[in-house]
Amino acid sequence: MLNRPNSLPGPDNIFREVLPNGIVILTRSNFNSPSVVISGYFSAGSLLDPNEKLGLADFVTSALMRGTKKRSFDNIYSELESVGASLGFNSGVHKSGLSGRSLAEDLPLLLNLLCETLTMPVFPKAETEKLRAQLLTGLAIRAQDTSDMASMVFDQILYKGHPYSRPEDGHPETIQNITRADLVKFHREYYGPRGLIIAIVGAVKPEEAVRQVKRALGGWQVKGQKEAPELPALKPLKKTVNKHHRIAGKSQSDLIIGTNGPMRRDPEFMSASIGNNILGQFGMMGRIGDVVREKSGLAYYAYSSLSAGIGPGSWEVNAGVNPQNVKKASGLIVDELKRFVQEGVTADELADTKANFIGRLPLSLESNGGVANALLNIERHHLGLDYYQHYEGLVNEVRQEDVLNTVRKFIDPDELAIAVAGP
């Protein structure tokens, strides 16, 4: 498949149009299925939350479908269910997201509902209070989840003093602080057409998809739509910092050890991705899985991950271990990171990972949803419409020394964030 560039998303088959009000539309046709997928994002993430009302952006996106000026909560879901369609929203740090799917013939209905929920939510009091109770229940569950709490503590260490240290879903006290007036104000100030990106993939011609978006959202105007403040610089760790968050009565501890990684647009991103695959992803979770889980039997799971987005990313190793094995598992992971920094990757590991990266790309583009995500990835990180047609070359040009240099740039075994949550 990769030898036939036209089968991959590219300038010849991606249609991109910017509406006069600033909405960007990306479309790609696929008539092999009668359905259509809508995916997108808009500039209203948790970076905009005041400290005393953390979780506000998440609260707003969760409330969008609880009622509009035209439809009640029940009416919205009845309309969707009557045609077997779906629509939903989620929140992130920089952006919040939208996703939906339907038969192609029901695209106008889906876009009507998207328009209503985005532009005219009313945040009905009864529904808002039900939602608050659900959010608080979620936070109570989070407080007892060793994985979630380890992740939260890790962010507090790695991003100390930076907005990334704050949980997107807030704390119980900050959710209690949020009023309906706060939801209305946040929506009025930050929701608007500027920064809204919509990808539509499926059984619809690009011109028709654009026409339908124009019909539904082309008239949306918001005077004085506010933007997120500039992201402050991150102060990197100067030494290893350990924190243990106690949760009584647990039979497992979750452990995260890591440091900062590249941003998505950094030139080292591809070599870091390849290095991370070898470190703790490929096969039975790479070297980390082999050493900590397979050979030593110290972990229920162990893997590494690279989180690279608009701002400073993270490069971390996650493990679930018996509480008595936390110290041993931590030592093995740090030792493996030291070996990684000293030796880099072998020629065989590099060749296997390149084949894996190239081979799995077509699989990720088999569904309309996968293609829609690919289009949004291109747009969000300014990769260029021809990114996927050049992808094989980008992978193949990474050399062993590139991976080693990248690893040494980002990972210092003496400057790590180590977070544990458990008994």
Side-chain angles (χ1 to χ4, degrees), residues 80-253:
L80 289 167
E81 288 171 8
S82 69
V83 295
S86 65
L87 178 65
F89 297 91
N90 59 78
S91 66
V93 178
H94 289 270
K95 313 285 184 184
S96 287
L98 62 95
S99 61
R101 64 177 62 242
S102 70
L103 291 173
E105 64 200 54
D106 297 316
L107 179 60
L109 169 65
L110 198 58
L111 286 169
N112 284 345
L113 291 172
L114 176 65
C115 173
E116 283 184 31
T117 50
L118 267 182
T119 68
M120 54 181 80
V122 293
F123 308 110
K125 186 175 180 182
E127 289 296 337
T128 299
E129 290 310 313
K130 282 185 199 172
L131 178 56
R132 188 195 310 276
Q134 290 172 13
L135 295 174
L136 289 170
T137 299
L139 293 179
I141 293 170
R142 182 189 74 182
Q144 293 299 313
D145 189 297
T146 54
S147 176
D148 286 350
M149 294 310 296
S151 181
M152 207 163 122
V153 172
F154 179 79
D155 287 346
Q156 289 168 357
I157 300 170
L158 191 64
Y159 298 110
K160 185 178 179 181
H162 191 275
Y164 281 13
S165 66
R166 310 185 310 171
E168 297 162 40
D169 44 1
H171 302 284
E173 62 273 18
T174 62
I175 295 300
Q176 292 284 20
N177 284 342
I178 294 169
T179 65
R180 181 183 174 278
D182 293 324
L183 304 178
V184 171
K185 182 172 182 282
F186 187 94
H187 180 268
R188 184 179 66 245
E189 292 183 342
Y190 295 111
Y191 276 61
R194 192 179 65 247
L196 174 57
I197 315 296
I198 297 175
I200 300 179
V201 178
V204 60
K205 292 181 179 178
E207 300 80 6
E208 176 62 14
V210 170
R211 189 182 74 79
Q212 291 292 348
V213 176
K214 279 182 180 175
R215 175 193 59 77
L217 287 158
W220 191 20
Q221 301 286 346
V222 175
K223 288 183 180 178
Q225 181 186 347
K226 290 187 176 182
E227 295 189 6
E230 206 159 301
L231 203 61
L234 176 70
K235 294 177 181 176
L237 291 172
K238 296 296 183 187
K239 62 179 181 179
T240 291
V241 178
N242 284 271
K243 282 192 180 176
H244 191 137
H245 180 82
R246 304 285 175 184
I247 307 178
K250 295 294 176 179
S251 59
Q252 175 176 314
S253 289

